[in-house]
Amino acid sequence: MSTQTELLTAPKWRATRRPARDRKRWTPGEIVVMVVLAALVIIVASPVVYALLNSFRSYAEITVDPMGLPTQFTLDNYIQLFQQTDYGEALVNTLIITVVTVVLLVAIVPMAAYGIERVGGRTSRLVYILFIAGLMIPFQVRMIPLVKGFDDVGLYSTLTSVILVHLGGAASFGILLYCSFIKGIPIEVEEAASIDGAGRLRTFWSIVFPMLLPVTSAFVIIQALGLWNDFFIPLVFLDSSSAGTINVAINRMVGLLTSQWQLIYTGAILAIIPSVAIFAAFQRYFIKGMSIGAVKG
């Protein structure tokens, strides 16, 4: 009887011990990949950590020992940033530019791509080629004519000019992204809605646009991060009479002889926080949208 019991229990004992014995070990290739990944993380994170630590230090501490650690953690720099500079107004300007531009892009670009793909014909193909050609023309080539044109109509140094420039620059990429995705949507779904009496506009917003949500989420995240972190376009189209955007405001703190380093680091940290929060919150939607868009294309 005892022998039978041992025979019955032995396989179970081996089954419980096998996962520990057969545990997967890292291969040399995986170890190399992890080491390289860790090095890249350190390289990317080091400037952010350095700026974060210096945002709690005074100007004197930074100039005497730039690589030192804070002697005490205080929020004085964050308070002075809004009291002594135009960072608060620049933050509002950046928020307005980002939100308005993204809303207009989502309202216009998907409909334009839908019209190009569903109308068809030579005219639609020509319009598509013109949008794609816009991706190949550097902004520096268009910069001077745009500045001159906005100045002639009285829009230079206004948020409207920055929004319009961003709309023109992002539309080409949006058309390319949405057209490749719309090709994979069955036209039979739209024909069924047409039989039920729905017009083109209603068919798009009620039937087609909900199917575009994955690629729309990826498009919104890409554009929102780009708009929030943009420096060159606001610098060109907003003169010194305006507070500019957050990156322009930080740049203006750098002087020829002296620079407010404690406020520069503080402003940089505050500028990074929304970008990191947006990407962390919508990371899975971003990856899903880009992967679906690649399959559809």
Side-chain angles (χ1 to χ4, degrees):
M1 197 65 185
S2 60
T3 305
Q4 293 179 355
T5 304
E6 291 178 356
L7 292 174
L8 290 174
T9 56
K12 294 182 180 180
W13 179 83
R14 293 193 187 96
T16 57
R17 296 288 296 178
R18 186 175 293 112
R21 187 171 62 249
D22 298 340
R23 185 177 301 168
K24 184 179 181 296
R25 295 180 179 180
W26 284 10
T27 63
E30 291 174 339
I31 294 175
V32 172
V33 170
M34 293 304 297
V35 170
V36 173
L37 181 61
L40 290 176
V41 170
I42 294 174
I43 293 173
V44 173
S46 295
V48 179
V49 175
Y50 177 75
L52 178 62
L53 293 176
N54 280 323
S55 68
F56 297 105
R57 305 176 69 197
S58 65
Y59 176 79
E61 287 181 326
I62 295 175
T63 53
V64 171
D65 185 11
M67 302 303 296
L69 296 175
T71 57
Q72 59 180 355
F73 287 89
T74 176
L75 298 178
D76 291 343
N77 292 336
Y78 292 86
I79 297 173
Q80 294 175 8
L81 180 66
F82 289 94
Q83 291 180 346
Q84 300 178 6
T85 67
D86 295 331
Y87 192 86
E89 184 180 351
L91 184 63
V92 174
N93 291 342
T94 306
L95 185 63
I96 293 173
I97 292 172
T98 302
V99 173
V100 173
T101 305
V102 168
V103 170
L104 291 176
L105 285 173
V106 174
I108 297 173
V109 173
M111 285 196 297
Y114 177 73
I116 291 173
E117 284 297 323
R118 291 297 186 253
V119 173
R122 293 182 178 180
T123 304
S124 297
R125 191 63 183 174
L126 178 61
V127 173
Y128 179 77
I129 293 174
L130 290 176
F131 273 110
I132 300 305
L135 292 172
M136 306 175 186
I137 302 175
F139 172 74
Q140 289 77 4
V141 176
R142 299 171 284 143
M143 180 177 64
I144 296 177
L146 284 172
V147 171
K148 177 62 175 174
F150 283 129
D151 188 50
D152 291 340
V153 298
L155 291 178
Y156 180 71
S157 193
T158 63
L159 298 183
T160 303
S161 64
V162 179
I163 292 173
L164 291 176
V165 173
H166 279 303
L167 282 175
S172 298
F173 172 72
I175 292 295
L176 176 64
L177 192 64
Y178 277 103
C179 283
S180 63
F181 193 89
I182 292 174
K183 289 178 182 178
I185 297 179
I187 197 171
E188 290 78 13
V189 178
E190 302 168 36
E191 292 175 349
S194 178
I195 294 174
D196 292 337
R200 281 282 190 180
L201 193 62
R202 183 178 178 184
T203 299
F204 174 77
W205 289 111
S206 301
I207 306 298
V208 178
F209 187 74
M211 298 181 182
L212 299 176
L213 288 181
V215 69
T216 299
S217 61
F219 181 63
V220 167
I221 293 173
I222 292 173
Q223 296 304 321
L225 294 178
L227 292 166
W228 185 268
N229 296 317
D230 185 46
F231 168 73
F232 187 65
I233 292 178
L235 179 66
V236 173
F237 290 90
L238 297 176
D239 58 21
S240 58
S241 63
S242 171
T245 58
I246 50 177
N247 292 317
V248 175
I250 293 174
N251 179 69
R252 290 174 180 171
M253 298 177 195
V254 180
L256 181 61
L257 299 178
T258 60
S259 300
Q260 305 177 61
W261 292 113
Q262 78 282 10
L263 301 183
I264 293 173
Y265 291 128
T266 304
I269 291 299
L270 291 179
I272 292 173
I273 292 175
S275 300
V276 175
I278 291 173
F279 189 81
F282 299 99
Q283 180 182 6
R284 63 190 184 98
Y285 300 103
F286 171 76
I287 297 174
K288 180 181 178 181
M290 293 304 295
S291 60
I292 293 178
V295 173
K296 293 291 183 182

